[in-house]
Amino acid sequence: MGKLSMAASILCMALVAALATVTTISEAAVVEHTFYVHEMNVTHLCNTTKIYVVNGQFPGPTIDVTDGDTVVVHVINRLDYGLTLHWHGVRQIRSVWADGAGFVTECPIPPGGDHTYRFNVTGQVGTLWWHAHVTCLRATINGAFIVRPKNGRYPFPTPAKDVPIIIGEWWQLDLIELDRRMADGNFDDNPLSATINGKLGDLSNCSGIPEESFVLDVEPGKSYLLRVINTALFSEYYFKVAGHTFTVVGADGNYLTPYRTDMVVVAPGRGHRRAPGRRRAAGALPHGRARKPASGTRPPNSRSSCPAGWSGTRACDPTITASPYPSRSCPTSTTRCPSFYFHNNLTGLAHPDRHRVPMHVDERMFITLGLGSICRDGGTRCKRRRSNETIVVATMNNVSFHHPTTTSLLERYYDGTGKGVYTEDFPDHPPRPYNYTNRDYIPPGPLEEALEPTFKATKLRRFKYNTSVEIVFQSTALLQSDSNPMHLHGYDFFVLAQGIGNFDPKRDVKKFNYHNPQLRNTVQVPRTGWAAIRFVTDNPGMWYLHCHFEFHIVMGMATAFIVEDGPTPETSLPPPPPEYKRCSANGLMKP
Ligand SMILES: *[C@@H]1O[C@H](CO)[C@@H](O)[C@H](O)[C@H]1NC(C)=O
Ligand SMILES: *[C@@H]1O[C@H](CO)[C@@H](O)[C@H](O)[C@H]1NC(C)=O
Ligand SMILES: *[C@@H]1O[C@H](CO)[C@@H](O)[C@H](O)[C@H]1NC(C)=O
Ligand SMILES: *[C@@H]1O[C@H](CO)[C@@H](O)[C@H](O)[C@H]1NC(C)=O
Ligand SMILES: *[C@@H]1O[C@H](CO)[C@@H](O)[C@H](O)[C@H]1NC(C)=O
Ligand SMILES: *[C@@H]1O[C@H](CO)[C@@H](O)[C@H](O)[C@H]1NC(C)=O
Ligand SMILES: *[C@@H]1O[C@H](CO)[C@@H](O)[C@H](O)[C@H]1NC(C)=O
Ligand SMILES: *[C@@H]1O[C@H](CO)[C@@H](O)[C@H](O)[C@H]1NC(C)=O
Ligand SMILES: *[C@@H]1O[C@H](CO)[C@@H](O)[C@H](O)[C@H]1NC(C)=O
C-alpha cells in the first residue's frame, strides 16, 4: 500500500502503541485491540468533569483495517456501569453476535467484566466508527473505524494525508446523570461546546484563557482526505473550511460520485469522507440542534462556533460561523435547506457489483416518525398536552419501542423463547392516516390532542431471507418537527429519494433514482419530509433500526428486524461464537 496508509497506520500505532497488534494471515490480517474502558477527570473551561473513555483517549483509538480483515477487540470494563460497543456501519455479515447493540444483540458487559468482539469486515471501504451503545456514554466512548481498499487504491487522486475529523460535544453534566434525566422525560440539557478531535477550540475561553484548538498542519496546494464523523448525541453539524471547497467522495463505507461543495452536512451517526480542494483547515458549528419535545424548546446551542484552529493562526475566519440558509429557495420556512440539498445532491459512485438496485419489491413499509405521550400512572386516561401527568415518548407507526432490560432480543429469538419478550406485529403502515406534516400538530396545537396518546411495546418485524424491502420513512409534525437520522444495523440500503411534505406515491415514485443512488447505513429523513430506501434481506439476524438522536432512542423511536435464515448454511446465522456471553438474570452479560 502507498504512502497514505503508511502515514495513517503510523498514527494509529503511535496512539495505541502497545495495545494493538496486527497479524497477517495470507492476504487478510487480524487486527487486534484491547480497549480498557475507564473514568478520567478532564478539565475544560475551568471545570473538571468526569468522563468515560477508552485507553485514556477522547476520542478513543482509531481502528484501521483493510477490507477483508478480521477485527478482534477485547473490551475490559472498568466502569461502575454496564456497556456494549457497537461497530457502526460494519455490516456484520452472519456475525450479528458481535453487533454490540445493548439488549438487542447482547446484554451489557458488567462492571469489572470483559468481552471479546470478533468479526470480519467484508466488501466495505471508507469511514465508519465505533461507539458505546448503551446510554449516553457514546458521547465520549467513540472512535474512528477506517476501512481501506484491498488494492490500496481509491477512485480519486491519492491525498497527501488522511485525517480523521471527529466532531463531538463537551458535556459538563455527567453522562450517566444525563441518561437518567432523559429517561425521566427531561430533555432540557445541552452540551457546553462542540469539539473537533476532542478539542473545544479557541473561541471558548475561561477567564480569558482560550481552549486548545485542533490544528492540522498542511501544505499549500496539496489535497487532504478528511474523514468526518459526527459523534454528537443530538446535533446535525455543518462543516466548513474557510476559503476552501470540498469534494465529497464517500459516505458510510461506500463511494459517492465526487460532489463539490463548500459545506458538508453530517448527521449524528454518519461518517463521511471528503477531500478538501486545497490547503489547510477545519471548523464546525453546532447547527440545527434537533428541537426537543415538550418542555425543551430552547434555541440551538451556539457557544462553540469554531472549535478548530488553523495552523499558524489563532482566530477562525468569521465566515465559518455564518449559517447560510438559502431561505428563498426553501420549500417551507422551517426546512433545513442546506441539509436537504446536501443530502439530495449526493449520488453513489456507480459500481458494477455494488450498485444493483432491486427493481422489484416484495414487502413495502411506510413508517411515520413522531412523538406521542403515555400516562405517568401507566393508564390510558390522563391530561395530555404537555401536562405533568404524561411522559413524552417517540414513536414509529404509533409504537414507542420498549427496550428489554434483562435480556437480549437476539438471544431470545435464537433460542425460540421470544414469547412474552417481544411480538412480531410491528405495523407496516401507520394505524391511523392523518395529514402527517400539518404544522397544526406541533404544540400548542390545536390538533395534536386526539393523536397524541400512544403506548410502549416491543414490536418487531420479521422478514424471510432474500426479501426485497422498500421503506418510506415519513417525519411527521406530531408534537415535534425534527429531522430523523434513521440507522439500520447490519445493512447498507439504497436511498432512492427524499422530499418535503407528505409522501405521495403517485407523484414521488417518479423521483426514485434507480441508476446511481447512495448506499448508506443511515438516512437523514428531513423534518416534515420523507425518504425512501430499498434493500434485500441477505444478512440473517436481529437488526436494530433506530433514530440516531440519543434522546429519540431513549424515547423509543426504534424497532428491530428479524431476518430469517436462508436455505443453505452460507445463508444462515451460525451458532453464537464461543466468546459470546448470554444475559444473566440481572440484565448484564454473564461473567
Ligand atoms: C476524579 O476526581 C474526583 C474528585 O476529585 C476523585 O474523587 C476521583 O478519584 C478522580 N477520578 C480519577 C479517575 O482520577
Ligand atoms: C472471518 O473470515 C474467516 C476467513 O474467511 C472465517 O474463517 C471466519 O469464520 C470469519 N469470522 C466471522 C466471525 O465471520
Ligand atoms: C462547573 O460545572 C458544574 C456542573 O455542571 C456547574 O454547576 C458549574 O457552574 C460549572 N462551573 C463553571 C465555573 O462553569
Ligand atoms: C472569551 O469568550 C467571550 C465570550 O464567551 C468573548 O466575549 C471574549 O472575547 C473571549 N475572550 C478571549 C480572550 O478570547
Ligand atoms: C443541489 O444543491 C443546490 C444548492 O446547493 C440546489 O440549488 C439544487 O437544487 C440541489 N439539487 C438537488 C437535486 O437537490
Ligand atoms: C402537576 O402540575 C400541577 C399544576 O399544573 C401541580 O399542581 C401538581 O402538583 C403537579 N404534579 C406533579 C406530580 O408534579
Ligand atoms: C396538510 O397540511 C399542510 C400543511 O399545513 C397543508 O398545506 C396541506 O394542504 C394539508 N393537506 C391536506 C390533504 O389537507
Ligand atoms: C395511537 O394509538 C392510540 C391508541 O392506542 C390512539 O388513541 C392514537 O390516536 C393513535 N395515534 C396515532 C398518531 O395513530
Ligand atoms: C433471491 O431472490 C431472487 C429473486 O427475487 C433470486 O433470483 C435469487 O436467486 C435469490 N437468491 C438467493 C440467494 O436465494
Side-chain angles (χ1 to χ4, degrees), residues 288-304:
R289 168 72 181 280
R291 186 152 311 134
K292 293 187 185 169
S295 54
T297 47
R298 297 191 17 198
N301 173 1
S302 56
R303 273 185 64 183
S304 72

PDB file of all heavy atoms in Angstrom, residues 288-304:
ATOM      1  N   GLY A 288     -28.529  23.601  13.850  1.00  0.00           N
ATOM      2  CA  GLY A 288     -29.740  22.827  13.638  1.00  0.00           C
ATOM      3  C   GLY A 288     -29.918  21.772  14.699  1.00  0.00           C
ATOM      4  O   GLY A 288     -30.303  20.658  14.417  1.00  0.00           O
ATOM      5  N   ARG A 289     -29.640  22.116  15.913  1.00  0.00           N
ATOM      6  CA  ARG A 289     -29.906  21.230  17.021  1.00  0.00           C
ATOM      7  C   ARG A 289     -31.345  20.763  16.918  1.00  0.00           C
ATOM      8  O   ARG A 289     -32.243  21.573  16.773  1.00  0.00           O
ATOM      9  CB  ARG A 289     -29.692  22.050  18.304  1.00  0.00           C
ATOM     10  CG  ARG A 289     -30.186  21.390  19.553  1.00  0.00           C
ATOM     11  CD  ARG A 289     -29.261  20.238  19.902  1.00  0.00           C
ATOM     12  NE  ARG A 289     -29.753  19.595  21.094  1.00  0.00           N
ATOM     13  CZ  ARG A 289     -29.559  20.031  22.305  1.00  0.00           C
ATOM     14  NH1 ARG A 289     -28.887  21.127  22.509  1.00  0.00           N
ATOM     15  NH2 ARG A 289     -30.010  19.371  23.342  1.00  0.00           N
ATOM     16  N   ALA A 290     -31.514  19.479  16.946  1.00  0.00           N
ATOM     17  CA  ALA A 290     -32.874  18.958  16.829  1.00  0.00           C
ATOM     18  C   ALA A 290     -33.729  19.554  17.930  1.00  0.00           C
ATOM     19  O   ALA A 290     -33.316  19.570  19.078  1.00  0.00           O
ATOM     20  CB  ALA A 290     -32.869  17.452  16.962  1.00  0.00           C
ATOM     21  N   ARG A 291     -34.852  20.037  17.573  1.00  0.00           N
ATOM     22  CA  ARG A 291     -35.680  20.645  18.599  1.00  0.00           C
ATOM     23  C   ARG A 291     -36.177  19.563  19.526  1.00  0.00           C
ATOM     24  O   ARG A 291     -36.585  18.488  19.128  1.00  0.00           O
ATOM     25  CB  ARG A 291     -36.845  21.394  17.988  1.00  0.00           C
ATOM     26  CG  ARG A 291     -37.615  22.150  19.047  1.00  0.00           C
ATOM     27  CD  ARG A 291     -38.300  23.382  18.510  1.00  0.00           C
ATOM     28  NE  ARG A 291     -37.421  24.197  17.736  1.00  0.00           N
ATOM     29  CZ  ARG A 291     -37.789  24.704  16.550  1.00  0.00           C
ATOM     30  NH1 ARG A 291     -38.950  24.467  16.054  1.00  0.00           N
ATOM     31  NH2 ARG A 291     -36.948  25.444  15.873  1.00  0.00           N
ATOM     32  N   LYS A 292     -36.153  19.868  20.800  1.00  0.00           N
ATOM     33  CA  LYS A 292     -36.560  18.862  21.758  1.00  0.00           C
ATOM     34  C   LYS A 292     -38.047  18.966  22.026  1.00  0.00           C
ATOM     35  O   LYS A 292     -38.634  20.011  21.855  1.00  0.00           O
ATOM     36  CB  LYS A 292     -35.764  19.063  23.032  1.00  0.00           C
ATOM     37  CG  LYS A 292     -34.307  18.763  22.779  1.00  0.00           C
ATOM     38  CD  LYS A 292     -33.583  18.800  24.062  1.00  0.00           C
ATOM     39  CE  LYS A 292     -32.115  18.623  23.851  1.00  0.00           C
ATOM     40  NZ  LYS A 292     -31.430  18.925  25.091  1.00  0.00           N
ATOM     41  N   PRO A 293     -38.593  17.873  22.459  1.00  0.00           N
ATOM     42  CA  PRO A 293     -40.036  17.834  22.615  1.00  0.00           C
ATOM     43  C   PRO A 293     -40.509  18.602  23.841  1.00  0.00           C
ATOM     44  O   PRO A 293     -39.720  18.962  24.702  1.00  0.00           O
ATOM     45  CB  PRO A 293     -40.299  16.356  22.813  1.00  0.00           C
ATOM     46  CG  PRO A 293     -39.050  15.850  23.424  1.00  0.00           C
ATOM     47  CD  PRO A 293     -37.955  16.635  22.803  1.00  0.00           C
ATOM     48  N   ALA A 294     -41.784  18.785  23.895  1.00  0.00           N
ATOM     49  CA  ALA A 294     -42.474  19.304  25.057  1.00  0.00           C
ATOM     50  C   ALA A 294     -41.747  20.458  25.698  1.00  0.00           C
ATOM     51  O   ALA A 294     -41.604  21.525  25.125  1.00  0.00           O
ATOM     52  CB  ALA A 294     -42.710  18.181  26.056  1.00  0.00           C
ATOM     53  N   SER A 295     -41.230  20.236  26.888  1.00  0.00           N
ATOM     54  CA  SER A 295     -40.673  21.318  27.678  1.00  0.00           C
ATOM     55  C   SER A 295     -39.424  21.921  27.039  1.00  0.00           C
ATOM     56  O   SER A 295     -39.104  23.061  27.267  1.00  0.00           O
ATOM     57  CB  SER A 295     -40.343  20.796  29.069  1.00  0.00           C
ATOM     58  OG  SER A 295     -39.516  19.664  28.941  1.00  0.00           O
ATOM     59  N   GLY A 296     -38.710  21.134  26.242  1.00  0.00           N
ATOM     60  CA  GLY A 296     -37.427  21.628  25.752  1.00  0.00           C
ATOM     61  C   GLY A 296     -37.524  22.300  24.400  1.00  0.00           C
ATOM     62  O   GLY A 296     -37.371  21.681  23.369  1.00  0.00           O
ATOM     63  N   THR A 297     -37.762  23.569  24.389  1.00  0.00           N
ATOM     64  CA  THR A 297     -37.809  24.251  23.105  1.00  0.00           C
ATOM     65  C   THR A 297     -36.733  25.335  23.073  1.00  0.00           C
ATOM     66  O   THR A 297     -36.943  26.422  22.599  1.00  0.00           O
ATOM     67  CB  THR A 297     -39.177  24.879  22.864  1.00  0.00           C
ATOM     68  OG1 THR A 297     -39.561  25.584  24.048  1.00  0.00           O
ATOM     69  CG2 THR A 297     -40.216  23.832  22.552  1.00  0.00           C
ATOM     70  N   ARG A 298     -35.609  25.009  23.630  1.00  0.00           N
ATOM     71  CA  ARG A 298     -34.550  26.017  23.685  1.00  0.00           C
ATOM     72  C   ARG A 298     -33.867  26.160  22.334  1.00  0.00           C
ATOM     73  O   ARG A 298     -33.834  25.233  21.545  1.00  0.00           O
ATOM     74  CB  ARG A 298     -33.539  25.629  24.751  1.00  0.00           C
ATOM     75  CG  ARG A 298     -34.203  25.612  26.106  1.00  0.00           C
ATOM     76  CD  ARG A 298     -33.287  25.500  27.268  1.00  0.00           C
ATOM     77  NE  ARG A 298     -31.903  25.799  26.987  1.00  0.00           N
ATOM     78  CZ  ARG A 298     -30.944  25.417  27.807  1.00  0.00           C
ATOM     79  NH1 ARG A 298     -31.224  24.740  28.880  1.00  0.00           N
ATOM     80  NH2 ARG A 298     -29.706  25.721  27.545  1.00  0.00           N
ATOM     81  N   PRO A 299     -33.351  27.343  22.089  1.00  0.00           N
ATOM     82  CA  PRO A 299     -32.672  27.543  20.805  1.00  0.00           C
ATOM     83  C   PRO A 299     -31.387  26.733  20.739  1.00  0.00           C
ATOM     84  O   PRO A 299     -30.889  26.273  21.763  1.00  0.00           O
ATOM     85  CB  PRO A 299     -32.374  29.040  20.808  1.00  0.00           C
ATOM     86  CG  PRO A 299     -32.365  29.432  22.240  1.00  0.00           C
ATOM     87  CD  PRO A 299     -33.331  28.528  22.929  1.00  0.00           C
ATOM     88  N   PRO A 300     -30.859  26.549  19.542  1.00  0.00           N
ATOM     89  CA  PRO A 300     -29.638  25.761  19.416  1.00  0.00           C
ATOM     90  C   PRO A 300     -28.494  26.348  20.230  1.00  0.00           C
ATOM     91  O   PRO A 300     -28.384  27.553  20.374  1.00  0.00           O
ATOM     92  CB  PRO A 300     -29.317  25.855  17.924  1.00  0.00           C
ATOM     93  CG  PRO A 300     -30.537  26.325  17.267  1.00  0.00           C
ATOM     94  CD  PRO A 300     -31.322  27.067  18.268  1.00  0.00           C
ATOM     95  N   ASN A 301     -27.744  25.479  20.766  1.00  0.00           N
ATOM     96  CA  ASN A 301     -26.544  25.873  21.480  1.00  0.00           C
ATOM     97  C   ASN A 301     -25.537  26.386  20.459  1.00  0.00           C
ATOM     98  O   ASN A 301     -25.184  25.692  19.521  1.00  0.00           O
ATOM     99  CB  ASN A 301     -26.006  24.632  22.191  1.00  0.00           C
ATOM    100  CG  ASN A 301     -24.681  24.873  22.831  1.00  0.00           C
ATOM    101  OD1 ASN A 301     -24.150  25.974  22.762  1.00  0.00           O
ATOM    102  ND2 ASN A 301     -24.155  23.847  23.460  1.00  0.00           N
ATOM    103  N   SER A 302     -25.108  27.571  20.625  1.00  0.00           N
ATOM    104  CA  SER A 302     -24.199  28.095  19.606  1.00  0.00           C
ATOM    105  C   SER A 302     -22.958  28.705  20.229  1.00  0.00           C
ATOM    106  O   SER A 302     -22.379  29.638  19.727  1.00  0.00           O
ATOM    107  CB  SER A 302     -24.923  29.129  18.754  1.00  0.00           C
ATOM    108  OG  SER A 302     -25.441  30.130  19.584  1.00  0.00           O
ATOM    109  N   ARG A 303     -22.598  28.185  21.383  1.00  0.00           N
ATOM    110  CA  ARG A 303     -21.459  28.811  22.065  1.00  0.00           C
ATOM    111  C   ARG A 303     -20.122  28.488  21.437  1.00  0.00           C
ATOM    112  O   ARG A 303     -19.209  29.289  21.486  1.00  0.00           O
ATOM    113  CB  ARG A 303     -21.450  28.403  23.534  1.00  0.00           C
ATOM    114  CG  ARG A 303     -22.309  29.329  24.353  1.00  0.00           C
ATOM    115  CD  ARG A 303     -22.229  29.034  25.809  1.00  0.00           C
ATOM    116  NE  ARG A 303     -20.897  29.262  26.357  1.00  0.00           N
ATOM    117  CZ  ARG A 303     -20.594  29.006  27.604  1.00  0.00           C
ATOM    118  NH1 ARG A 303     -21.497  28.530  28.417  1.00  0.00           N
ATOM    119  NH2 ARG A 303     -19.385  29.214  28.049  1.00  0.00           N
ATOM    120  N   SER A 304     -19.982  27.343  20.891  1.00  0.00           N
ATOM    121  CA  SER A 304     -18.667  26.998  20.367  1.00  0.00           C
ATOM    122  C   SER A 304     -18.726  27.004  18.861  1.00  0.00           C
ATOM    123  O   SER A 304     -18.870  25.992  18.212  1.00  0.00           O
ATOM    124  CB  SER A 304     -18.282  25.614  20.820  1.00  0.00           C
ATOM    125  OG  SER A 304     -19.055  24.703  20.136  1.00  0.00           O
TER     126      SER A 304
END
